[in-house]
Amino acid sequence: MPETKPVLMQGNEACAVGAISAGVRFYAGYPITPSTEVAEQMAARLPDIGGVFIQMEDEIASMAAVIGASIGGMRTLTATSGPGFSLKQENLGYAIMAEIPCVVVNVQRMGPSTGVPTAPAQGDVMQARWGTHGDHPIIVFSPASVYETYYLTIAAVNLSQKLRQPVILLLDEVIGHMREKVEIPEAGKLIVEKSSDKVPSDWKPYDEKGLTPLVPFGFGHYYHVTGLFHDQYGFPTGDPPQVERALDRLHNKLEKYRDEIVLTNYIGHKEPRVAIVTYGCVVRSARAVVKKAYWQNRLPVGLLSLQTIWPFPDREIEALAKQVDVILVPEMNRGQLVGEVERYARGEAKVIPVNRYDGEMISPDQISEALGRWLS
Amino acid sequence: MAVIEQLTQDFLRTKKLPHIWCPGCGNGIVTAALVRAIERSGYDQKDVVIVSGIGCSSRAAGYLNFNTLHTTHGRALAFATGLKMARPELKLFVIMGDGDCSAIGGNHFIHSARRNIDLNAVIVNNHIYGMTGGQHSPLTPTGKKATTAPRGTLERPFDLLELARGAGATFGAKGIAAQPRQLEQLILRGANHRGFSVVEALSPCPIAYGRRNKLGGAVEMLRDMKENSISVERAANMEETELVDKTITGVLFSIDAPEYAEEYYRSIGKEIG
């Protein structure tokens, strides 16, 4: 185990520290509340370790620059919030299509539009899934604490590299701005999982046989990168069978590595009657409820927290629904992920939304009240 | 002839030909000038990257045998900025069309100029959105017709090179498809310039622009292009009234100023290369 020391840290800062630990050496961004601290941390830290920080002219350019730098061989990250996340969608789709790794952080704030820039919300759950056009796959992590932000950032960077697939880190204003004690491995230690460095002589950028590592530009492999549907060498094609194969390829890689991607955590009673399913900062309120209901009062209650919300943890919900009578889904929106929970509960359990969308955090009391109603 | 054949072998993906461009299009002429300029620059093939946006001319990237990056509409310069900052030793040529560069990509264009980052922008200006069938662009001259300006556009066009200069670009040149040797020379000088260089290449689009505006076919358009252009050296000795509606070709400005990637790497104490 690497040595650790406890520090007091904000979620946004933990994201920056995690990114650097995972080998990120390029950041391009644009200022926006409540994500700006990620940029400020990267601006302060990257130059000292030979990395590149650049503030771009807008969010669209930030996303483009990150992809450009990834093609140059750097590990990259950009951070934003609601309105900026909307602007990133165009080139996010490009990165998915061209299979260029990168990590996009969205510190959610209350929307739609400019909304309440300093208030937390979880309104971008469906945008994170479907924000860019086309029938694309996506990976989205949603941390519930500062430490989770740290390690999920590292996981996001590594997974993104391995699968050549953008990964979204969906924070919220609470997690981004909250300060907590975290144990961070000693500074300077790299937590980098290397994808294979060896490039076979018959390397193809989009090999039909499956995943290949990205060989950066400038090493004599004269391949083509495009947002058009392409063949295994990267050249445009409109041939229907090839188009279908190429889209399947994008989805198949996520399906193949599904168990590495989908992260969930269950706490509580072994045979629960009522379960809470939630993600992000709401996990904190839910945990307080389960602490009281199960650890103190031994009620048949449990909490399944989702670190990964996309691809959706379908099997986990299916299994849970068979165990319980009721699933509560508290969210800081008018009900987004609850639809997915309902879909995979497949009528085996009653699925009840618990919502708050006034720019304040869901309190343990609000969840307790709903829980009480269904336990009795 | 032998030299041309060698260039074709090395720098063109001949298997990807024939290209998608219409008969009479100037994109091939500009692309050929670019290829010859790259050859004359002496750059190692593996160090050269072609970045392009979306549009007819941007399809050139797919035909050129380098590392090629065909990006999203208007964003080529922003992708190129990231790549250049990550790998400052690479030589980047960024091919854009007039709409791609000056409308949807206008913001990236002025900010690339402001940073004076060492990218070589080659803008193929055919005064029209060709791929979508002939809509007016910010470089369509006032009064000219397009599918979205059936009575002639009321809008005033940008002077692209003045825009670039005003935004901080340090090299600006204009060439025409009717004079490919000069164009090649201008692209080469842009490549040798350290900083953001802009080469605007006027190029005929007889199908989506010429036909609607009764400008004739490719031959007439090229001939008019040539007859209406004057080199910057000759123009220097002419009256302003003689230069009305003329295209001034050549290097319009070349300024020495700090280049962004080099400044950045110096500031963090790292050598480029």
Side-chain angles (χ1 to χ4, degrees), chain A residues 287-301 368 371 375:
Chain A
R287 201 182 288 135
V289 171
V290 171
K291 256 186 189 169
K292 200 168 164 195
Y294 170 63
W295 281 314
Q296 280 180 25
N297 301 334
R298 292 288 146 192
L299 294 170
V301 171
S368 277
L371 186 71
L375 269 178

Side-chain angles (χ1 to χ4, degrees), chain A residues 26 46-58 60-74 90-91 94 215-228 231 235-236, chain B residues 13 16 44-50 59 61-73 75 77-83 85-87 90 104 107-109 111-112 114-115 117 260 264-265 268 270:
Chain A
F26 185 96
L46 280 174
D48 290 338
I49 52 172
V52 176
F53 173 90
I54 186 165
Q55 184 172 314
M56 294 299 287
E57 53 272 21
D58 57 35
I60 299 169
S62 307
M63 193 65 218
V66 153
I67 297 168
S70 284
I71 293 169
M74 273 186 166
E90 176 194 43
N91 287 328
Y94 182 93
V215 177
F217 276 11
F219 294 101
H221 291 271
Y222 303 133
Y223 61 100
H224 190 53
V225 179
T226 177
L228 291 163
D231 62 17
F235 293 106
Chain B
R13 289 162 170 158
K16 299 296 157 195
D44 193 332
Q45 189 173 3
K46 73 174 174 48
D47 290 338
V48 174
V49 176
I50 310 290
R59 284 299 187 98
Y63 308 130
L64 298 175
N65 195 28
F66 303 97
N67 278 130
T68 50
L69 178 57
H70 180 226
T71 67
T72 45
H73 194 26
R75 319 297 175 210
L77 285 168
F79 279 78
T81 297
L83 178 55
M85 290 306 290
R87 297 284 298 282
L90 298 179
I104 191 165
N107 201 27
H108 314 307
F109 182 67
H111 287 278
S112 301
R114 179 178 61 83
R115 288 187 193 101
I117 186 164
Y260 183 68
Y264 182 86
Y265 277 90
I268 65 166
K270 236 173 135 176

